[in-house]
């Protein structure tokens, strides 16, 4: 068994990220970035301790830490200072960053896509107390930088991919008729966890939750859900209305196994379809189409191709197969994307969707998940995670493709 | 094995909650509440589907659902309508709630403690487009209502407590020298999950994360962390800097097992301390003090007692034991509370802390966790979850008290 060993994040890597942020800030006319979210703090300092990091457009950042200062000093690649009270924070900033705070109308950016409104208001009041500065949204700047993964980040995603592949192999032996979705998922999660899965899958969108993913059989997989994905699953009741249910797995129905894990903060996403016995012809054909679509899409995943072009191509391929109405969900609950960026969070940029005009570029990592939903019958499909390279997409997910057929 | 069976939430219960919210809104001069958070949506509608619920101060709520409308119609106790575009949402609200939106300067409340700033701004622009209405913070109103649990809610917390107690019993057999924290936690999580744990522990605070809790041995448990609790744990690296590590468990060191689970959306929190062999005298004495403190605190947990009174009493008890510097963390990383409300989220109100002048009342559920941290050596302590009743606290956690001693 491959037990993941933690790979230290090197200071040089953190500084490369900081310099990318500083360049983007200067291009956007932003004086400084006030980083507040734990994931962004980890990305830009190397430490996820509690506090705020101030990254100036020029000069060195300071991570003001509430707790633990000791741990932040061990982990962070940047200067760490104890967090002052919010009342005195502006004075401290004016002292530490006189060019950015004391002399001019500063445009300070922060993560308005995740920072709660109340906390934003308090920070805005503090920043704007000079009557001249403004606290603005810098979410897009950060999301755009985080799209491009470094070799170290790709290594962590690959480590997570290996864990998922091993956990699948270790768990599938218990898949038989009459086992519940919950029991099978519990086993997969156990196999992920002992290999180093950190136990959560981080998401960025408000109200979006992911356990280890979704495992659904037959009609339970095909139930519509709030989850912004092609198959959310029945779940364990209205208080947990997605992912596994207590349904017992039957013969001859599709079993969708959409499972990820998180290693050193980095997540992977992979889906395979299994069946005990055989799939009904229509579903078997749809599964074959999902593989055909993902292989066609691979041909398009080259640097310079627009994300929305790939999404449009997948819609055409589904239409050619006569499966438009089942593609990426059913009816009113179809989702409007084919794939999504992935890294520290499951729902990163870019998105393979209409209106996403960004061009693919080397270093982007995307999960691509063509799936077909048949209400009352099940969901079939495949999902791989790819790294974009100059030579085309490199698949990071490791489980063999093809329908998993159990006797 | 006790496999949890989902307990349906009855419409009457949802309506009782709505009426409590409406009463509080009228007292606060609020016209309507725009509920946006998944947990609050579940609480006030019975469904956690994606959308916004409008609860007027008088009249019937409508849950405007983006997806899945079908599922929301099955789950919700209130009227469900498809969510219009944000551009037309105000017009729809003026039509559906003419008294609240069309005729007067409305004060509309929402959850500014969790709603991201960007989304809040868009909603505020929509609400305030009449030049007269305002979108204000209603977080405290909702948190206050949710403090008081119904019989049904208490039943779900008890179900979760049973799952934790069973999972502890089923897992402790594998606790021996040389087993890693991660391996033991993986087993506990497996035992929780197959009994119906939904796989996540919801938190309300920004950046606060909980896996299934924290399991830490010896010096790893005593490392300071960002986590706002007395013992966060070493974790699996800077990208997951809390909870279990890969450290192997040794003889004669304290093993802190702070584990919860979530059933039908409701969480429980419990801590027990274990040792293979025996604890050093000082740590054994501190553990005995943690039990003595929790039993003293039980005597104070009566309706009408102020939360901060209980916290102050616990500080005195720790001081009497000569253990002030180790109580609830060590040094700069001590936390400033003894216990916290718990229900749909781990970090609910009330908090047993200075400045929390609320009086305990029947129906409140609190996790109380006196713990002592010894840097380089470990953490000892106990945590029980209690229901406040007129007759005093009723313990909901089920595992036996006392240090768990393994040969």
């Amino acid at each position: 068994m491959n037990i993941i060993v933690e790979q230290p994040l090197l200071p040089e890597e953190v500084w490369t990220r900081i310099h990318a942020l500083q360049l983007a800030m200067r291009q956007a006319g932003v004086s400084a970035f006030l980083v507040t979210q734990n994931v962004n703090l980890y990305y830009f300092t190397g430490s996820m301790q509690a506090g705020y990091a101030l990254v100036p457009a020029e000069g060195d950042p300071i991570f003001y830490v509430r707790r633990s200062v000791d741990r932040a000093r061990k982990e962070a690649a940047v200067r760490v200072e104890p967090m002052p009270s919010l009342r005195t924070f502006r004075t401290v900033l004016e002292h530490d960053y006189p060019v950015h705070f004391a002399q001019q109308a500063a445009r300070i950016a922060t993560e308005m896509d995740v920072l709660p409104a109340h906390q934003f208001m308090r920070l805005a009041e503090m920043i704007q107390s000079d009557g001249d500065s403004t606290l603005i949204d810098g979410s897009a700047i950060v999301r755009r930088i985080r799209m491009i993964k470094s070799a170290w980040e790709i290594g962590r995603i690959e480590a997570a991919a290996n864990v998922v592949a091993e956990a699948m192999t270790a768990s599938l032996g218990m898949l038989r008729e009459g086992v519940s979705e919950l029991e099978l998922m519990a086993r997969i999660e156990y196999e992920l966890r002992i290999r180093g899965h950190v136990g959560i899958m981080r998401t960025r969108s408000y109200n979006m939750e992911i356990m280890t993913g979704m495992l659904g059989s037959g009609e339970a997989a095909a139930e519509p859900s709030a989850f912004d994905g092609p198959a959310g699953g029945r779940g364990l009741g209205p208080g947990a209305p997605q992912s596994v249910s207590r349904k017992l797995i039957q013969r001859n129905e599709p079993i969708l196994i959409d499972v990820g894990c998180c290693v050193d903060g980095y997540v992977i996403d992979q889906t395979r379809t299994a069946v005990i016995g055989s799939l009904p012809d229509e579903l078997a054909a749809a599964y074959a189409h999902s593989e055909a679509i993902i292989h066609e899409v691979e041909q398009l995943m080259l640097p310079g191709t627009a994300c929305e072009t790939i999404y449009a191509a997948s819609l055409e391929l589904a239409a050619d197969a006569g499966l438009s109405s089942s593609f990426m969900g059913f009816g009113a609950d179809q989702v409007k994307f084919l794939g999504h960026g992935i890294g520290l969070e499951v729902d990163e940029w870019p998105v393979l969707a209409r209106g996403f005009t960004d061009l693919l570029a080397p270093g982007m990592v995307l999960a691509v998940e063509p799936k077909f939903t048949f209400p009352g019958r099940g969901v079939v499909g495949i999902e791989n995670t790819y790294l974009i390279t100059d030579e085309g997409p490199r698949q990071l997910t490791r489980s063999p493709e093809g329908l998993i057929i159990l006797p």
Side-chain angles (χ1 to χ4, degrees), chain A residues 156-188:
Chain A
R156 304 330 292 146
I157 298 171
E158 285 178 313
N162 283 335
V163 167
V164 166
E166 282 197 18
M168 285 282 284
T169 305
S171 309
L172 282 176
M174 72 164 283
L175 173 52
R176 66 183 76 86
E177 204 180 342
V179 166
S180 75
E181 294 175 4
L182 177 60
E183 287 167 316
L184 180 57
M185 187 61 128
R187 175 63 183 273
I188 294 173

Side-chain angles (χ1 to χ4, degrees), chain A residues 16-333:
Chain A
T16 302
R17 299 170 180 179
I18 291 167
H19 293 145
L21 177 60
Q22 292 181 318
L23 178 62
M25 282 196 281
R26 292 195 296 270
Q27 288 169 346
V30 168
S31 312
F33 206 110
L34 187 64
V35 184
T36 70
Q37 189 215 18
N38 61 349
V39 173
N40 284 341
L41 288 169
Y42 176 49
Y43 187 81
F44 286 116
T45 75
S47 173
M48 210 181 251
Q49 298 304 302
Y52 299 123
L54 196 291
V55 183
E58 279 168 17
D60 290 348
I62 299 177
F63 186 9
Y64 300 96
V65 174
R66 211 169 62 250
R67 59 200 304 264
S68 154
V69 173
D70 282 354
R71 195 186 290 209
R73 288 205 164 120
K74 283 185 197 122
E75 295 171 341
V78 305
R79 181 175 150 199
V80 169
E81 296 293 342
M83 174 74 199
S85 72
L86 197 56
R87 205 153 23 83
T88 59
F89 194 25
R90 198 185 151 94
T91 312
V92 171
L93 290 172
E94 284 175 12
H95 173 267
D96 291 342
Y97 296 100
V99 175
H100 304 86
F101 281 89
Q103 297 181 0
Q104 67 189 68
R107 293 177 74 229
I108 312 296
T110 193
E111 309 108 324
M112 287 180 64
D113 61 340
V114 288
L115 180 65
H118 182 252
Q119 204 166 328
F120 172 80
M121 295 297 188
R122 290 175 61 197
L123 289 171
E125 194 181 332
M126 181 273 289
I127 294 285
Q128 293 167 196
S129 62
D130 66 344
D132 208 17
S133 300
T134 46
L135 187 61
I136 61 170
D137 190 17
S139 310
I141 292 176
V142 167
R143 298 195 75 169
R144 212 161 281 284
I145 289 169
R146 281 179 43 196
M147 287 198 299
I148 308 298
K149 272 69 180 178
S150 71
W152 181 84
E153 291 184 286
I154 293 158
R156 304 330 292 146
I157 298 171
E158 285 178 313
N162 283 335
V163 167
V164 166
E166 282 197 18
M168 285 282 284
T169 305
S171 309
L172 282 176
M174 72 164 283
L175 173 52
R176 66 183 76 86
E177 204 180 342
V179 166
S180 75
E181 294 175 4
L182 177 60
E183 287 167 316
L184 180 57
M185 187 61 128
R187 175 63 183 273
I188 294 173
E189 288 172 355
Y190 173 79
E191 298 291 346
L192 294 169
R193 190 74 158 120
I194 54 171
R195 288 171 172 82
H197 169 41
V198 305
I200 49 171
M201 302 277 285
R202 295 193 177 98
T203 52
R204 191 163 190 88
S205 308
Y206 185 47
N207 286 339
M208 191 177 198
E209 296 177 339
I210 287 194
M211 292 79 176
T212 38
M214 178 277 194
L215 186 156
S217 60
E219 76 275 10
E223 286 182 16
S225 88
F227 185 73
D228 191 17
R234 177 181 287 172
L236 291 166
Q242 65 179 66
S243 189
V244 290
S245 74
R246 293 176 182 82
K247 176 184 173 296
L248 306 185
I249 294 170
Q250 309 296 329
R251 288 186 72 74
N252 306 329
E253 65 179 10
I255 306 153
L256 196 77
I257 307 174
D258 180 351
V259 162
C261 77
C262 178
V263 167
D264 286 345
Y266 286 84
V267 286
I268 187 78
D269 208 354
Q270 171 187 289
T271 302
R272 294 295 181 263
T273 304
V275 64
I276 306 166
S278 65
L279 285 184
D281 288 348
E282 194 188 354
L283 274 58
Y287 178 78
H289 282 298
S290 74
E291 285 207 356
I293 290 173
I294 210 167
H295 296 144
E296 289 280 348
V297 163
E298 285 174 3
Q299 304 299 316
L300 302 174
M301 291 177 67
L302 300 167
T305 309
C307 290
E308 63 176 4
T309 303
I310 295 174
Y311 177 64
S314 73
L315 290 183
E316 266 186 49
L317 291 163
D320 291 348
L323 288 169
S324 288
S325 64
S326 286
F327 188 54
M328 303 304 287
F330 189 85
D333 298 299

